[in-house]
């Protein structure tokens, strides 16, 4: 048992895909290597069932129903997590995995707080939750943000028509596409890539502001076609994804989930901090533009403004 496995790990998006695979990898560890789990997910049967599945493996689990597209829900989830920690229902908080994410088919869509839905769920909700819980960690602790290499372009992503990020001021990124402007497939891809570049910038700035002993990492699970991320684009896109998933070297939740569990739990990754970027099982340098102190400071400032502007719980 190490310091992390002797505590509790909170994970968002545990009901499917990468999150479920990582959660089950944690739940099926031997008791001496298994932390307690706080599962933050959309309310409903899927959350109850996945929590029960983890309990049947022997894990201590508390589920927290939360719609990440509603910041009042996120604040309530943070408070519920604090209450469970204080009451002793779970062991001290040692890890947080910001896994939940989506890719939209229409950037006109807004969250309950009026923000572009991709940016709201993938980035803002996690910034709110982490900010609310930052003082509740017992150190050493780890925060793992699930990122994506889509923030930059390469030959493979160009072939698949996956656009890279096109960074703008965060207040602009938070605005849905105006009603009189069409939403294109490319715009949806850019919104996703921008949200993942935001997580890289946030990870670097968070490390500067986090308490000593709370280490921040960004994990890229690899290209995972056919997962829930593509559900907004219809069943045809998901069927294509499941075919691509069979190609050697292409990732899947079953392959990447245990790797994510390892990043948050295992001693071999204890050195990671400063928003270190890990692709599957290998630490990599990000592109030079993905480390920008001016952008990172501005994102932190704008995030505070956006979260303060959302209605309170």
């Amino acid at each position: 048992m190490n310091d992390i496995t002797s505590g509790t790990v909170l994970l968002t998006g545990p009901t499917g895909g990468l999150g479920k695979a990582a959660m089950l990898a944690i739940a099926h560890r031997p008791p001496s290597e298994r932390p307690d789990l706080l599962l933050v997910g959309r309310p409903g049967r899927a959350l109850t069932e996945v929590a029960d599945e983890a309990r049947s493996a022997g894990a201590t689990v508390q589920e927290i129903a939360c719609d990440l597209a509603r910041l009042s829900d996120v604040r309530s989830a943070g408070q519920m997590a604090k209450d469970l920690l204080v009451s002793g229902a779970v062991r001290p908080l040692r890890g947080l995995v910001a896994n939940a994410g989506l890719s939209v088919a229409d950037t006109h869509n807004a969250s309950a707080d009026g923000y572009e839905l991709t940016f709201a769920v993938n980035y803002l909700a996690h910034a709110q939750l982490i900010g609310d819980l930052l003082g509740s960690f017992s150190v050493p602790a780890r925060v793992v943000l699930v990122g994506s290499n889509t923030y930059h372009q390469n030959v493979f992503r160009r072939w698949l028509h996956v656009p890279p990020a096109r960074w703008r001021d965060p207040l602009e990124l938070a605005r849905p596409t105006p009603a009189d402007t069409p939403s294109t497939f490319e715009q949806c891809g850019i919104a996703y890539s921008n949200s993942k570049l935001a997580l890289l910038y946030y990870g670097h700035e968070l490390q500067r502001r986090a308490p000593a002993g709370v280490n921040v990492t960004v994990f890229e699970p690899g290209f995972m076609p056919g997962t829930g991320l593509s559900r907004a684009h219809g069943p045809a896109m998901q069927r294509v994804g499941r075919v691509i998933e069979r190609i050697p070297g292409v990732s899947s939740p079953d392959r990447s989930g245990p790797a994510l569990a390892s990043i948050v739990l295992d001693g071999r990754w204890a050195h990671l901090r400063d928003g270190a970027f890990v692709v599957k099982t290998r630490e990599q340098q990000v592109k030079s533009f993905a480390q920008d102190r001016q952008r990172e400071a501005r994102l932190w400032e704008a995030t505070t403004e956006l979260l303060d502007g959302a209605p309170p719980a």
Side-chain angles (χ1 to χ4, degrees), residues 68-72 107-121 124 170-178 306 309-311:
L68 293 177
R70 188 178 299 274
L71 287 171
S72 60
T107 52
H108 293 115
N109 292 334
S111 70
D113 308 289
Y115 302 136
E116 192 279 315
L117 193 57
T118 320
F119 192 75
V121 172
L124 280 176
L171 297 185
E172 294 180 30
L173 296 178
R175 294 190 193 112
T177 298
L306 291 164

Side-chain angles (χ1 to χ4, degrees), residues 25 41 47 62 72 92 98 116 162 168 178-179 189 196 216 232-233 245 250 268 277 305 308:
L47 181 60
Q62 298 286 343
S72 60
E116 192 279 315
V162 177
R168 295 174 287 146
K196 294 302 182 177
V216 184
H233 303 288
E245 207 172 56
V250 173
R268 64 176 288 211
F277 192 57
E305 184 176 341
D308 286 350

Side-chain angles (χ1 to χ4, degrees), residues 101-188:
L102 55 75
S103 175
V104 302
D106 187 345
T107 52
H108 293 115
N109 292 334
S111 70
D113 308 289
Y115 302 136
E116 192 279 315
L117 193 57
T118 320
F119 192 75
V121 172
N122 294 3
Y123 171 67
L124 280 176
H126 288 114
Q128 177 75 65
L129 185 62
I130 293 166
D132 288 346
L133 292 173
L134 204 52
S136 297
F137 284 102
S138 294
V139 297
R142 301 179 194 177
V143 174
V144 182
L145 311 170
V146 174
S148 173
N149 258 330
T150 61
Y151 79 89
H152 73 93
Q153 185 70 275
N154 67 4
V155 173
F156 181 65
R157 286 188 286 278
R158 188 178 297 116
W159 176 68
L160 289 173
H161 302 288
V162 177
R166 294 182 189 169
W167 191 253
R168 295 174 287 146
D169 187 82
L171 297 185
E172 294 180 30
L173 296 178
R175 294 190 193 112
T177 298
D180 60 354
T181 303
S183 172
T184 65
F185 182 81
E186 183 182 33
Q187 282 177 317
C188 295

Side-chain angles (χ1 to χ4, degrees), residues 181-291:
T181 303
S183 172
T184 65
F185 182 81
E186 183 182 33
Q187 282 177 317
C188 295
I190 291 169
Y192 180 80
S193 297
N194 280 336
S195 73
K196 294 302 182 177
L197 180 55
L199 286 170
L200 281 169
Y201 288 147
Y202 174 73
H204 301 149
E205 190 66 20
L206 176 62
Q207 187 69 81
R208 297 181 190 113
R209 297 169 183 265
V214 178
N215 289 355
V216 184
T217 303
V218 182
F219 174 72
E220 151 68 284
F223 177 53
M224 290 193 301
T227 64
L229 276 177
S230 62
R231 62 177 172 264
H233 303 288
M237 179 68 75
Q238 289 187 294
R239 284 195 295 271
V240 170
R242 283 191 286 271
V243 171
I244 297 175
E245 207 172 56
R246 300 190 188 106
I247 299 173
V250 173
S251 297
S252 70
D254 288 344
R255 299 181 196 119
S256 295
L260 175 54
S262 178
I263 293 291
V264 73
L265 295 181
D266 291 339
R268 64 176 288 211
W269 302 110
H271 67 285
L272 295 176
R273 54 172 284 119
D274 299 322
F277 192 57
V278 177
V279 179
K280 294 190 272 193
T281 59
R282 183 174 299 177
E283 189 176 356
Q284 292 187 3
Q285 284 293 320
V286 295
K287 299 297 181 183
S288 58
F289 69 86
Q291 289 185 301

